[in-house]
DNA sequence: GCACCCTGGGAAAGTGTTTTCCGAACGGAT
DNA sequence: ATCCGTTCGGAAAACACTTTCCCAGGGTGC
């Protein structure tokens, strides 16, 4: 067949009906079309290889079949898990997803949102947690409001305080329960890879963990809390700094799994054994990382489900008055990377 | 500001110029607009908060700023690495990427291609290797041809034989070199997790490995080649079957890293130590899996680069007469998961 | 047998851009 | 002053649909 470019008009002419009728038959409408004409039109469309022009439809209907997905880095398994859930929801609804990556730049996030708006995207899912920077949060909120003013829907994963529905893990409690479990194993001296100082998620996990320790009468030496990038390499680097400074901790908590992975690598490179010399725990329970040895103790988050649910909030439900918040509890999973401290 | 919906016409009226002039100023054109009017228009646009309607532009220009990316499963780190490269290329060009996932269904692949065509996507990158099923390959080739007939460009990652530019790893040689390296370590008896029988990539790797062994005078018992799914769980399952059947191999080759990961888990669960009891090697060198212990011997493929290059092929270069093929050599990386076999 | 309603077909008016074509103005060369 | 060649602004025609509005025809209720 001779390629694309068959228009609805050609189909209509070929079938001997009006544009209106052809449109009603092929692209759905509230109105019925008589059996006879309907068959003629579908036959013509099939014969000519008609394929609707999506832009023209978007323009005429003033709504598209696009849903945006904004993540920091699609190669990060945390985000790719969420992305997997979002695409599943979207495809269930017959929509197609537009993937934007920010590289963790707030500015880029705004640009992407504007682009999505210009495409009349029906909804957008914002994954990737926010910094506590008020200025950039305010600008993001503005963009979201503009997006919503157009009839678009916005849902977030893991970032409260924006004027949008949100699926948010209970970082504080998850971290607190993890801390209690580790204390239960006998640990008394902890070190924490706390991630970036200004990242909300990192802070909440740190606070939760910290709080639970305080509740157990345990305090942390300041140099046992080390900040760094929220990535595998950030975890590696932070661990090296921790070791260089010297620590007597028996258990190391990294505020996410990818950092914990880096930590385990750094410990291995330093000749330390996990959990014999030092226990390690993370947060998220990234599926791809479940095969690490020793298996990582962590707080399980249903990442794919969270992506699915965020997309569902944005797509299925009507816009609500106030932003809805779906809280997700984490489940502490103790595996081999943590063990009772050696009696010393 | 009051939300969206400012049209170019409103901007033009506000600035006291014609639609044509406003369009030329704001959305680029070959033609110049005088300084004075240009300033008036940009000022009005800014004041009113104008944002071009992308669908209208696509319709008028008959080309969009969308580039498609089709993968089997975005949660698979193999694909998310490629996706990362593709998005980078696309964003460099100011384009936005539409992500489609097939769940390994050839049918879904065709649907996505048609959708992309209906959106007038400028290009599409097809990742995820093909089966040897002639029928579905033929239909995919047809879709690609229709896509190209419209002026769209198509590039593939890891799948030759389609009428499109391709970035393709040298699976055969990579696997052969890996085999030679393992023979060099002293292995003589091998088992292979060969993946699906009909998957081209899996077959090439199997053949390459097999061929190199044959060249070294080594042959494989049929029951030491076990087929299964191309996934982590497929690797786990295949390994269990292998062990259940009994094998005297000293080295296990899985045709990709995620299967090798499953294999290591199965071996661990069976109480076998890697590499002491059995060496294990994979293929791909997935970044996220580099922290496994013992570290996986594998054949390194520059996945992100391959995604970038495929997108570049589709975006930057002119359509060529014959499909271009960019071959990518794999580099054998021996790590701790393989060691000389215990002298028995 | 007549008024009425309901079904379904078509003409035409949007939808927001880009781009072609036309014409006016202006500047420099003669 | 005339002529030609640029340069730049605007009117209007695409672009490929959806949807409103109008109208014809046929069935129903009395």
């Amino acid at each position: 067949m001779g390629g694309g470019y068959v228009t609805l008009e050609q189909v209509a002419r070929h079938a001997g009906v009006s544009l209106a009728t052809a449109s009603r038959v092929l692209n759905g409408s509230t109105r019925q079309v008589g059996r006879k004409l309907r068959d003629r039109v579908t036959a013509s469309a099939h014969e000519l290889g008609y394929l609707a022009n999506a832009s023209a439809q978007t323009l005429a209907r003033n709504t598209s079949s696009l849903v945006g997905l904004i993540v920091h880095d699609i190669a990060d398994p945390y985000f790719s898990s969420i992305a997997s859930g979002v695409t599943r929801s979207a495809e269930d609804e017959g929509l197609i997803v537009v993937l934007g990556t920010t590289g963790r730049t707030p500015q880029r996030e705004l640009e992407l949102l504007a682009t999505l708006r210009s495409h009349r995207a029906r909804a957008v899912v914002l994954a990737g947690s926010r910094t506590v920077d008020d200025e950039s949060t305010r600008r993001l909120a503005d963009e979201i409001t503009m997006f919503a003013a157009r009839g678009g829907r916005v849902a977030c994963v893991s970032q409260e305080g924006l004027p949008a529905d949100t699926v948010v893990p209970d970082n504080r409690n998850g971290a607190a329960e993890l801390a209690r479990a580790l204390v239960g194993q006998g640990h008394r001296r902890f070190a924490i890879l706390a991630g970036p100082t200004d990242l909300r998620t990192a802070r909440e996990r740190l606070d939760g963990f910290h709080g639970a320790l305080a509740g157990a009468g345990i305090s942390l030496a300041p140099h046992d809390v080390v900040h760094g990038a929220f990535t595998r390499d950030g975890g590696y680097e932070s661990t090296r700094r921790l070791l260089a400074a010297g620590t007597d901790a028996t258990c190391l908590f990294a505020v996410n799994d990818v950092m914990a992975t880096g930590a385990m690598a750094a410990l291995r490179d330093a000749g330390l054994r996990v959990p014999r010399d030092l226990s390690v725990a993370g947060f998220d329970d990234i599926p791809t990382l479940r095969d690490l040895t020793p298996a990582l103790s962590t707080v399980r988050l249903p990442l794919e489900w969270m992506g699915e649910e965020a997309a569902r909030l944005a797509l299925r439900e009507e816009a609500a008055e106030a932003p809805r918040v779906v809280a997700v509890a984490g489940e502490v999973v103790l595996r081999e990377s943590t063990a009772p401290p050696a009696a010393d």
Side-chain angles (χ1 to χ4, degrees), chain A:
Chain A
M1 266 288 314
Y5 265 75
V6 180
T7 70
L8 189 58
E9 176 165 7
Q10 294 173 36
V11 174
R13 190 157 37 224
H14 185 273
V17 300
S18 76
L19 214 49
T21 302
S23 169
R24 293 198 262 253
V25 172
L26 295 174
N27 302 319
S29 138
T30 45
R31 294 239 336 227
Q32 287 282 338
V33 172
R35 173 74 192 264
K36 213 172 111 185
L37 290 195
R38 187 156 23 105
D39 289 351
R40 280 230 305 273
V41 171
T42 45
S44 294
H46 193 258
E47 183 176 340
L48 300 181
Y50 172 71
L51 181 66
N53 181 324
S55 323
Q57 291 187 316
T58 299
L59 182 57
R61 294 177 175 154
N62 195 27
T63 174
S64 77
S65 55
L66 264 36
V67 22
L69 167 60
I70 299 184
V71 301
H72 287 333
D73 172 12
I74 191 62
D76 182 326
Y78 173 83
F79 290 113
S80 64
S81 297
I82 292 174
S84 179
V86 171
T87 48
R88 188 172 321 148
S89 272
E91 294 182 354
D92 280 357
E93 304 279 324
L95 303 175
I96 74 179
V97 0
V98 172
L99 173 68
T101 57
T102 67
R104 303 176 199 277
T105 336
Q107 177 55 34
R108 179 81 188 128
E109 207 162 25
L110 299 177
E111 288 170 20
L112 284 167
L113 229 24
T115 306
L116 256 10
R117 189 150 56 89
S118 89
H119 280 270
R120 301 292 185 261
R122 196 177 294 189
V124 47
V125 174
L126 236 53
S129 82
R130 306 229 40 72
T131 66
V132 291
D133 175 357
D134 275 345
E135 167 62 10
S136 81
T137 301
R138 197 184 52 68
R139 288 170 60 189
L140 183 62
D142 283 354
E143 266 294 331
I144 291 178
T145 306
M146 299 186 71
F147 194 92
R150 254 215 39 260
R153 308 262 295 108
V154 181
C156 303
V157 174
S158 188
Q159 38 192 90
E160 258 173 311
L162 259 16
D165 295 339
T166 307
V167 176
V168 57
D170 191 345
N171 290 312
R172 220 171 290 266
N173 270 321
E177 278 179 33
L178 178 63
R180 284 191 281 270
L182 294 170
V183 169
Q185 281 197 321
H187 293 281
R188 292 295 176 271
R189 299 189 305 278
F190 292 87
I192 303 185
L193 306 190
T197 48
D198 60 350
L199 198 66
R200 207 157 215 144
T201 299
R203 236 147 92 149
E204 289 172 2
R205 294 177 183 176
L206 174 60
D207 287 355
F209 200 85
H210 219 228
L213 291 187
I218 298 173
S219 62
L220 281 157
H223 63 266
D224 276 338
V225 176
V226 6
H227 290 275
F230 211 48
T231 61
R232 186 264 179 209
D233 291 347
Y236 188 93
E237 185 47 41
S238 297
T239 304
R240 286 180 62 95
R241 290 215 312 279
L242 183 72
L243 294 177
T247 178
D248 63 350
T250 62
C251 182
L252 177 60
F253 169 53
V255 294
N256 74 17
D257 278 4
V258 295
M259 290 179 67
T261 305
M264 293 221 288
L267 294 174
R268 199 161 42 240
D269 289 354
L272 294 174
R273 314 266 303 258
V274 176
R276 187 183 300 178
D277 299 319
L278 198 59
S279 288
V280 173
F283 202 116
D284 285 340
D285 197 28
I286 303 284
T288 324
L289 263 20
R290 287 192 193 142
D291 287 303
L292 288 181
T293 35
L296 199 55
S297 293
T298 188
V299 178
R300 169 174 301 167
L301 251 30
L303 295 174
E304 289 213 14
W305 181 88
M306 288 165 61
E308 258 186 87
E309 183 64 14
R312 224 171 355 239
L313 277 179
L315 294 174
R316 262 208 253 289
E317 322 257 340
E318 285 307 297
E321 274 310 295
R324 274 166 305 202
V325 174
V326 174
V328 179
E331 180 197 356
V332 173
V333 185
L334 293 185
R335 300 201 184 98
E336 299 135 32
S337 72
T338 53
D344 44 9

